[in-house]
Amino acid sequence: MKRLKQLMLLGTQDMVKSNAEKLKITNLVALVTCVIASLYTSYFYFVLGQNKLTLLNIGFVFSYGITLYLSAKGFVCAAKSWFLSVLMVHIFILTLVVFTPAAGFHFYYLLLPPGVLLLFEDKDNLAKNTLMFTGVVLFFICDLLGNSSPLIALTADAEKALFLSTIFVVMVEVYFIMLIFSRAIARNEARLQELATLDVLTGVKNRRSFIELGEALIARTQRYQRPLTLLLFDVDHFKRINDTHGHLIGDKALKIIAQTLEKNLRSSDTIARYGGEEFVVLLPETKSGEAIKLANHLIDKIQQVNINIDQDTSIHCTVSIGLAEFNEATPSLMALVHCADIALYQAKKLGRNQVVTYTDRFEDSIKTC
């Protein structure tokens, strides 16, 4: 298995992931085709007793193997083109020289459309179109031209056996090609979903995702009359960190703070980067008293974390937190965020590194909230 994996990875080093995947598939298909061609070689030798045909097929097995050599040398497009070209020549000879179209070998040309799309990059249009056109032409030549004097005259039963084996292999290979396609689509969809919902820097949810989840949670909280609390975090003196130590250290601080928050929250809690150095956390089934204890716990955890600048230097960050509890005065997510923001302003005004709970006295215009 280790040797097989090494062969599949030939030439994939230092390649973009999507391109490397296509080359891995090319190498795998070349190996599988070598195995299938070897099985036909055994059939020609042991069942049909055809030494010359056996040697011819061994030559094709070797030719398929050259695909791996080209991959290892970095000739990626050439490796794919070579493999499919050898396959088409092999099929053509077996159909119109060795046997007749009744043996069904030309149905292997049906693997070309999915194979070309699976193996080649979008930029390889010339190679894709050339191979596709050639394959279509060869298929119809084989099917329409026929072969009245084959090298090997098979019985009807032998021809039927070869034909069925061809159809079986084509079906199996098409299945696996479609399986690879479907998995690639699933991976890409998952990646797009991740990019759409997660903050690239910190790995927590982004603002858009938070709003979608938060509005659904608010609706559920209203329906079942359950408690809900929101915490709005702001990293204290974050501009000073950026100006003194650089934006890379600032980014590192945000990552570490996000990781610290995630480690100390429940799986049911929702954390997101709300913007800049601000984070927001929704705490379902949590009243303000419990939320205050959790907020103070998070403040302690964050200021204990070392953010290394170099081997000998590290800094500590603190956060200010505004807390707002869902009630009649905060009938929507944005109202809840707005009230938490007012409380956050008070936390900063009172000296930072603390949590402040929103109350009506913080603003006279709360009716517009």
Side-chain angles (χ1 to χ4, degrees):
M1 284 298 293
K2 185 178 179 181
R3 182 60 178 166
L4 175 61
K5 188 175 181 180
Q6 289 174 340
L7 289 172
M8 287 176 58
L9 293 174
L10 284 173
T12 60
Q13 294 78 9
D14 302 322
M15 291 183 70
V16 177
K17 187 175 181 180
S18 58
N19 296 346
E21 284 296 321
K22 286 179 178 290
L23 187 56
K24 281 169 59 178
I25 293 169
T26 302
N27 294 338
L28 176 61
V29 170
L31 288 167
V32 170
T33 307
C34 284
V35 172
I36 294 172
S38 297
L39 292 175
Y40 278 122
T41 301
S42 299
Y43 175 76
F44 298 150
Y45 182 75
F46 293 107
V47 178
L48 301 180
Q50 294 288 332
N51 294 333
K52 290 182 179 180
L53 185 55
T54 300
L55 290 174
L56 176 66
N57 227 53
I58 289 173
F60 276 108
V61 173
F62 175 78
S63 297
Y64 291 127
I66 292 176
T67 304
L68 301 174
Y69 173 79
L70 293 172
S71 295
K73 291 298 181 181
F75 302 116
V76 178
C77 187
K80 299 169 183 178
S81 300
W82 171 265
F83 168 75
L84 291 175
S85 298
V86 171
L87 178 64
M88 286 193 291
V89 172
H90 194 187
I91 294 168
F92 188 80
I93 291 175
L94 289 174
T95 304
L96 289 187
V97 178
V98 180
F99 301 108
T100 69
F105 280 100
H106 61 301
F107 282 96
Y108 280 116
Y109 285 122
L110 297 178
L111 293 173
L112 274 177
V116 165
L117 292 173
L118 178 66
L119 301 182
F120 284 92
E121 310 297 331
D122 289 338
K123 64 180 180 179
D124 300 324
N125 285 324
L126 179 60
K128 288 194 293 187
N129 294 335
T130 301
L131 289 166
M132 270 300 304
F133 177 76
T134 305
V136 170
V137 170
L138 292 178
F139 175 83
F140 283 106
I141 289 175
C142 291
D143 193 65
L144 299 174
L145 192 60
N147 181 16
S148 58
S149 55
L151 289 179
I152 301 175
L154 297 174
T155 63
D157 288 341
E159 279 188 341
K160 185 177 180 180
L162 279 178
F163 180 83
L164 292 175
S165 70
T166 300
I167 297 302
F168 174 76
V169 173
V170 169
M171 290 177 65
V172 169
E173 292 200 11
V174 168
Y175 169 79
F176 280 106
I177 289 172
M178 293 300 104
L179 183 64
I180 293 169
F181 270 127
S182 64
R183 287 184 174 178
I185 291 170
R187 284 196 301 269
N188 288 336
E189 286 180 345
R191 178 60 177 158
L192 288 173
Q193 181 69 15
E194 182 179 296
L195 291 173
T197 58
L198 298 185
D199 176 61
V200 176
L201 176 64
T202 61
V204 299
K205 289 180 173 58
N206 57 26
R207 183 170 181 161
R208 175 186 171 188
S209 176
F210 161 75
I211 291 172
E212 290 179 356
L213 291 171
E215 287 177 344
L217 190 55
I218 288 286
R220 193 158 55 246
T221 299
Q222 286 178 318
R223 186 181 305 118
Y224 298 109
Q225 296 295 303
R226 304 301 300 167
L228 175 70
T229 306
L230 183 143
L231 305 178
L232 187 62
F233 294 72
D234 188 272
V235 181
D236 296 328
H237 303 296
F238 186 70
K239 185 177 185 300
R240 185 188 301 171
I241 295 172
N242 277 336
D243 293 343
T244 305
H245 304 290
H247 288 278
L248 289 178
I249 297 300
D251 289 347
K252 185 177 182 181
L254 291 175
K255 290 179 187 176
I256 291 174
I257 289 170
Q259 291 168 0
T260 304
L261 291 174
E262 281 192 301
K263 287 178 183 176
N264 290 277
L265 291 169
R266 302 167 300 183
S267 60
S268 59
D269 300 331
T270 299
I271 175 176
R273 185 183 179 191
Y274 197 66
E277 65 272 23
E278 287 187 333
F279 294 91
V280 64
V281 174
L282 271 173
L283 305 171
E285 301 294 331
T286 307
K287 295 183 178 181
S288 60
E290 301 169 82
I292 290 171
K293 291 180 183 178
L294 175 61
N296 283 314
H297 174 71
L298 294 172
I299 286 172
D300 291 338
K301 287 293 183 181
I302 288 170
Q303 65 182 345
Q304 290 171 17
V305 174
N306 289 322
I307 300 169
N308 297 320
I309 297 172
D310 53 43
Q311 264 189 330
D312 305 315
T313 310
S314 63
I315 60 172
H316 296 269
C317 286
T318 61
V319 294
S320 299
I321 303 176
L323 184 153
E325 188 173 13
F326 179 77
N327 52 43
E328 294 81 2
T330 55
S332 68
L333 178 65
M334 288 299 101
L336 196 61
V337 172
H338 176 61
C339 293
D341 191 43
I342 293 170
L344 174 60
Y345 174 78
Q346 292 297 321
K348 286 185 170 293
K349 189 177 178 181
L350 292 172
R352 295 182 170 85
N353 194 30
Q354 59 186 291
V355 57
V356 170
T357 302
Y358 172 81
T359 60
D360 289 349
R361 72 175 187 273
F362 287 154
E363 64 164 339
D364 296 329
S365 58
I366 189 60
K367 292 180 181 180
T368 62
C369 185

Short mmCIF file of all heavy atoms in Angstrom, two decimals, residues 118-152:
data_model
loop_
_atom_site.label_atom_id
_atom_site.label_comp_id
_atom_site.label_asym_id
_atom_site.label_seq_id
_atom_site.Cartn_x
_atom_site.Cartn_y
_atom_site.Cartn_z
N LEU A 118 -12.28 14.95 -16.06
CA LEU A 118 -11.75 14.65 -14.73
C LEU A 118 -10.27 14.96 -14.62
O LEU A 118 -9.80 15.50 -13.61
CB LEU A 118 -12.00 13.18 -14.40
CG LEU A 118 -11.46 12.68 -13.05
CD1 LEU A 118 -12.20 13.36 -11.90
CD2 LEU A 118 -11.61 11.18 -12.94
N LEU A 119 -9.50 14.65 -15.67
CA LEU A 119 -8.05 14.71 -15.57
C LEU A 119 -7.45 16.06 -15.92
O LEU A 119 -6.44 16.47 -15.34
CB LEU A 119 -7.43 13.63 -16.47
CG LEU A 119 -7.82 12.18 -16.17
CD1 LEU A 119 -7.09 11.25 -17.11
CD2 LEU A 119 -7.52 11.81 -14.72
N PHE A 120 -8.04 16.77 -16.88
CA PHE A 120 -7.41 17.98 -17.40
C PHE A 120 -7.88 19.23 -16.67
O PHE A 120 -8.99 19.30 -16.15
CB PHE A 120 -7.67 18.12 -18.90
CG PHE A 120 -6.83 17.21 -19.75
CD1 PHE A 120 -7.30 15.96 -20.11
CD2 PHE A 120 -5.57 17.59 -20.19
CE1 PHE A 120 -6.54 15.11 -20.89
CE2 PHE A 120 -4.80 16.75 -20.97
CZ PHE A 120 -5.28 15.50 -21.32
N GLU A 121 -7.00 20.26 -16.68
CA GLU A 121 -7.35 21.56 -16.14
C GLU A 121 -8.17 22.34 -17.16
O GLU A 121 -8.20 22.02 -18.34
CB GLU A 121 -6.07 22.35 -15.79
CG GLU A 121 -5.06 21.61 -14.96
CD GLU A 121 -5.59 21.24 -13.58
OE1 GLU A 121 -6.46 21.97 -13.08
OE2 GLU A 121 -5.15 20.22 -13.03
N ASP A 122 -8.81 23.41 -16.69
CA ASP A 122 -9.62 24.25 -17.58
C ASP A 122 -8.77 24.89 -18.68
O ASP A 122 -9.25 25.14 -19.78
CB ASP A 122 -10.32 25.35 -16.78
CG ASP A 122 -11.42 24.79 -15.90
OD1 ASP A 122 -11.90 23.68 -16.22
OD2 ASP A 122 -11.79 25.43 -14.91
N LYS A 123 -7.51 25.16 -18.35
CA LYS A 123 -6.64 25.84 -19.32
C LYS A 123 -6.20 24.91 -20.45
O LYS A 123 -5.70 25.38 -21.48
CB LYS A 123 -5.40 26.38 -18.60
CG LYS A 123 -4.53 25.28 -17.99
CD LYS A 123 -3.31 25.84 -17.28
CE LYS A 123 -2.47 24.72 -16.69
NZ LYS A 123 -1.26 25.22 -16.01
N ASP A 124 -6.37 23.60 -20.28
CA ASP A 124 -5.89 22.63 -21.28
C ASP A 124 -6.95 22.36 -22.35
O ASP A 124 -7.21 21.21 -22.70
CB ASP A 124 -5.49 21.31 -20.58
CG ASP A 124 -4.39 21.50 -19.56
OD1 ASP A 124 -3.50 22.33 -19.81
OD2 ASP A 124 -4.42 20.81 -18.52
N ASN A 125 -7.55 23.41 -22.85
CA ASN A 125 -8.66 23.25 -23.81
C ASN A 125 -8.22 22.57 -25.10
O ASN A 125 -8.96 21.74 -25.65
CB ASN A 125 -9.29 24.61 -24.13
CG ASN A 125 -10.16 25.10 -22.99
OD1 ASN A 125 -10.82 24.32 -22.32
ND2 ASN A 125 -10.14 26.39 -22.74
N LEU A 126 -7.04 22.92 -25.60
CA LEU A 126 -6.57 22.33 -26.86
C LEU A 126 -6.42 20.82 -26.72
O LEU A 126 -6.90 20.06 -27.59
CB LEU A 126 -5.24 22.97 -27.28
CG LEU A 126 -4.61 22.41 -28.57
CD1 LEU A 126 -5.56 22.63 -29.74
CD2 LEU A 126 -3.25 23.06 -28.83
N ALA A 127 -5.77 20.38 -25.66
CA ALA A 127 -5.58 18.95 -25.45
C ALA A 127 -6.92 18.25 -25.25
O ALA A 127 -7.17 17.17 -25.83
CB ALA A 127 -4.68 18.72 -24.23
N LYS A 128 -7.81 18.84 -24.46
CA LYS A 128 -9.12 18.22 -24.21
C LYS A 128 -9.93 18.08 -25.50
O LYS A 128 -10.46 17.01 -25.78
CB LYS A 128 -9.90 19.07 -23.19
CG LYS A 128 -9.38 18.99 -21.78
CD LYS A 128 -10.36 19.55 -20.78
CE LYS A 128 -10.55 21.03 -20.95
NZ LYS A 128 -11.39 21.61 -19.86
N ASN A 129 -10.00 19.16 -26.26
CA ASN A 129 -10.81 19.14 -27.48
C ASN A 129 -10.24 18.19 -28.53
O ASN A 129 -10.99 17.49 -29.22
CB ASN A 129 -10.93 20.55 -28.06
CG ASN A 129 -11.71 21.48 -27.15
OD1 ASN A 129 -12.53 21.03 -26.35
ND2 ASN A 129 -11.45 22.77 -27.25
N THR A 130 -8.90 18.17 -28.63
CA THR A 130 -8.26 17.29 -29.61
C THR A 130 -8.52 15.83 -29.28
O THR A 130 -8.88 15.02 -30.16
CB THR A 130 -6.74 17.55 -29.66
OG1 THR A 130 -6.51 18.92 -30.01
CG2 THR A 130 -6.06 16.65 -30.67
N LEU A 131 -8.34 15.48 -28.01
CA LEU A 131 -8.55 14.09 -27.60
C LEU A 131 -10.01 13.68 -27.73
O LEU A 131 -10.31 12.56 -28.18
CB LEU A 131 -8.08 13.91 -26.15
CG LEU A 131 -6.55 13.97 -25.94
CD1 LEU A 131 -6.22 14.13 -24.47
CD2 LEU A 131 -5.89 12.72 -26.50
N MET A 132 -10.92 14.58 -27.38
CA MET A 132 -12.34 14.27 -27.50
C MET A 132 -12.74 14.04 -28.96
O MET A 132 -13.43 13.07 -29.29
CB MET A 132 -13.18 15.41 -26.92
CG MET A 132 -13.49 15.25 -25.44
SD MET A 132 -14.41 13.74 -25.07
CE MET A 132 -15.83 13.96 -26.14
N PHE A 133 -12.31 14.94 -29.83
CA PHE A 133 -12.64 14.83 -31.25
C PHE A 133 -12.08 13.53 -31.83
O PHE A 133 -12.76 12.79 -32.55
CB PHE A 133 -12.09 16.04 -32.02
CG PHE A 133 -12.33 15.96 -33.50
CD1 PHE A 133 -13.59 16.23 -34.04
CD2 PHE A 133 -11.29 15.62 -34.37
CE1 PHE A 133 -13.79 16.15 -35.41
CE2 PHE A 133 -11.50 15.55 -35.73
CZ PHE A 133 -12.75 15.81 -36.26
N THR A 134 -10.81 13.24 -31.48
CA THR A 134 -10.16 12.02 -31.98
C THR A 134 -10.90 10.78 -31.49
O THR A 134 -11.12 9.82 -32.26
CB THR A 134 -8.70 11.98 -31.53
OG1 THR A 134 -8.03 13.18 -31.94
CG2 THR A 134 -7.98 10.77 -32.12
N GLY A 135 -11.29 10.78 -30.23
CA GLY A 135 -11.99 9.63 -29.67
C GLY A 135 -13.33 9.38 -30.34
O GLY A 135 -13.68 8.23 -30.62
N VAL A 136 -14.08 10.45 -30.60
CA VAL A 136 -15.38 10.32 -31.27
C VAL A 136 -15.21 9.75 -32.66
O VAL A 136 -15.92 8.82 -33.09
CB VAL A 136 -16.10 11.68 -31.32
CG1 VAL A 136 -17.33 11.60 -32.23
CG2 VAL A 136 -16.51 12.13 -29.92
N VAL A 137 -14.22 10.28 -33.40
CA VAL A 137 -13.97 9.81 -34.77
C VAL A 137 -13.58 8.33 -34.76
O VAL A 137 -14.10 7.52 -35.55
CB VAL A 137 -12.86 10.66 -35.44
CG1 VAL A 137 -12.43 10.01 -36.76
CG2 VAL A 137 -13.35 12.08 -35.67
N LEU A 138 -12.68 7.95 -33.84
CA LEU A 138 -12.23 6.56 -33.78
C LEU A 138 -13.35 5.61 -33.38
O LEU A 138 -13.43 4.48 -33.87
CB LEU A 138 -11.05 6.42 -32.80
CG LEU A 138 -9.74 7.08 -33.22
CD1 LEU A 138 -8.69 6.92 -32.13
CD2 LEU A 138 -9.23 6.48 -34.54
N PHE A 139 -14.23 6.06 -32.50
CA PHE A 139 -15.36 5.22 -32.09
C PHE A 139 -16.23 4.87 -33.30
O PHE A 139 -16.58 3.70 -33.53
CB PHE A 139 -16.20 5.92 -31.03
CG PHE A 139 -17.44 5.16 -30.67
CD1 PHE A 139 -17.40 4.13 -29.74
CD2 PHE A 139 -18.67 5.47 -31.25
CE1 PHE A 139 -18.54 3.43 -29.40
CE2 PHE A 139 -19.82 4.77 -30.93
CZ PHE A 139 -19.76 3.74 -30.00
N PHE A 140 -16.58 5.88 -34.10
CA PHE A 140 -17.45 5.63 -35.25
C PHE A 140 -16.74 4.87 -36.36
O PHE A 140 -17.36 4.06 -37.07
CB PHE A 140 -18.02 6.95 -35.78
CG PHE A 140 -19.14 7.48 -34.93
CD1 PHE A 140 -18.94 8.57 -34.09
CD2 PHE A 140 -20.38 6.87 -34.96
CE1 PHE A 140 -19.97 9.04 -33.30
CE2 PHE A 140 -21.42 7.33 -34.17
CZ PHE A 140 -21.22 8.43 -33.33
N ILE A 141 -15.42 5.09 -36.50
CA ILE A 141 -14.66 4.30 -37.47
C ILE A 141 -14.73 2.82 -37.09
O ILE A 141 -14.99 1.95 -37.93
CB ILE A 141 -13.20 4.77 -37.55
CG1 ILE A 141 -13.13 6.14 -38.25
CG2 ILE A 141 -12.35 3.76 -38.31
CD1 ILE A 141 -11.73 6.74 -38.26
N CYS A 142 -14.47 2.54 -35.81
CA CYS A 142 -14.49 1.15 -35.33
C CYS A 142 -15.88 0.53 -35.48
O CYS A 142 -16.01 -0.63 -35.90
CB CYS A 142 -14.06 1.10 -33.87
SG CYS A 142 -12.33 1.48 -33.59
N ASP A 143 -16.90 1.32 -35.14
CA ASP A 143 -18.25 0.76 -35.15
C ASP A 143 -18.78 0.55 -36.57
O ASP A 143 -19.47 -0.43 -36.84
CB ASP A 143 -19.19 1.69 -34.38
CG ASP A 143 -20.52 1.04 -34.08
OD1 ASP A 143 -20.52 0.05 -33.32
OD2 ASP A 143 -21.54 1.50 -34.62
N LEU A 144 -18.44 1.47 -37.48
CA LEU A 144 -18.98 1.40 -38.84
C LEU A 144 -18.12 0.61 -39.81
O LEU A 144 -18.63 -0.04 -40.71
CB LEU A 144 -19.19 2.83 -39.38
CG LEU A 144 -20.17 3.71 -38.57
CD1 LEU A 144 -20.16 5.13 -39.13
CD2 LEU A 144 -21.56 3.12 -38.60
N LEU A 145 -16.80 0.67 -39.61
CA LEU A 145 -15.90 0.04 -40.57
C LEU A 145 -15.89 -1.48 -40.44
O LEU A 145 -15.94 -2.22 -41.42
CB LEU A 145 -14.49 0.60 -40.42
CG LEU A 145 -13.49 0.25 -41.53
CD1 LEU A 145 -13.98 0.78 -42.87
CD2 LEU A 145 -12.12 0.84 -41.22
N GLY A 146 -15.83 -1.93 -39.19
CA GLY A 146 -15.81 -3.38 -38.98
C GLY A 146 -14.46 -3.99 -39.34
O GLY A 146 -13.51 -3.30 -39.71
N ASN A 147 -14.37 -5.31 -39.23
CA ASN A 147 -13.12 -6.02 -39.51
C ASN A 147 -13.49 -7.43 -39.96
O ASN A 147 -13.86 -8.29 -39.16
CB ASN A 147 -12.24 -6.06 -38.27
CG ASN A 147 -10.92 -6.77 -38.53
OD1 ASN A 147 -10.54 -6.98 -39.69
ND2 ASN A 147 -10.23 -7.14 -37.47
N SER A 148 -13.35 -7.67 -41.26
CA SER A 148 -13.76 -8.96 -41.82
C SER A 148 -12.69 -10.04 -41.67
O SER A 148 -12.98 -11.22 -41.80
CB SER A 148 -14.12 -8.79 -43.30
OG SER A 148 -13.01 -8.27 -44.01
N SER A 149 -11.44 -9.65 -41.41
CA SER A 149 -10.36 -10.66 -41.29
C SER A 149 -9.51 -10.38 -40.06
O SER A 149 -8.38 -9.88 -40.14
CB SER A 149 -9.47 -10.62 -42.55
OG SER A 149 -8.98 -9.31 -42.76
N PRO A 150 -10.04 -10.63 -38.87
CA PRO A 150 -9.29 -10.38 -37.63
C PRO A 150 -8.13 -11.35 -37.47
O PRO A 150 -8.14 -12.45 -38.03
CB PRO A 150 -10.34 -10.59 -36.54
CG PRO A 150 -11.31 -11.55 -37.14
CD PRO A 150 -11.37 -11.20 -38.60
N LEU A 151 -7.12 -10.95 -36.69
CA LEU A 151 -6.00 -11.85 -36.40
C LEU A 151 -6.47 -13.06 -35.61
O LEU A 151 -5.94 -14.15 -35.76
CB LEU A 151 -4.93 -11.09 -35.59
CG LEU A 151 -4.12 -10.02 -36.33
CD1 LEU A 151 -3.13 -9.36 -35.39
CD2 LEU A 151 -3.37 -10.65 -37.51
N ILE A 152 -7.45 -12.83 -34.76
CA ILE A 152 -7.98 -13.94 -33.95
C ILE A 152 -9.48 -14.05 -34.20
O ILE A 152 -10.24 -13.11 -33.92
CB ILE A 152 -7.72 -13.70 -32.45
CG1 ILE A 152 -6.22 -13.56 -32.19
CG2 ILE A 152 -8.31 -14.82 -31.61
CD1 ILE A 152 -5.88 -13.20 -30.77
#
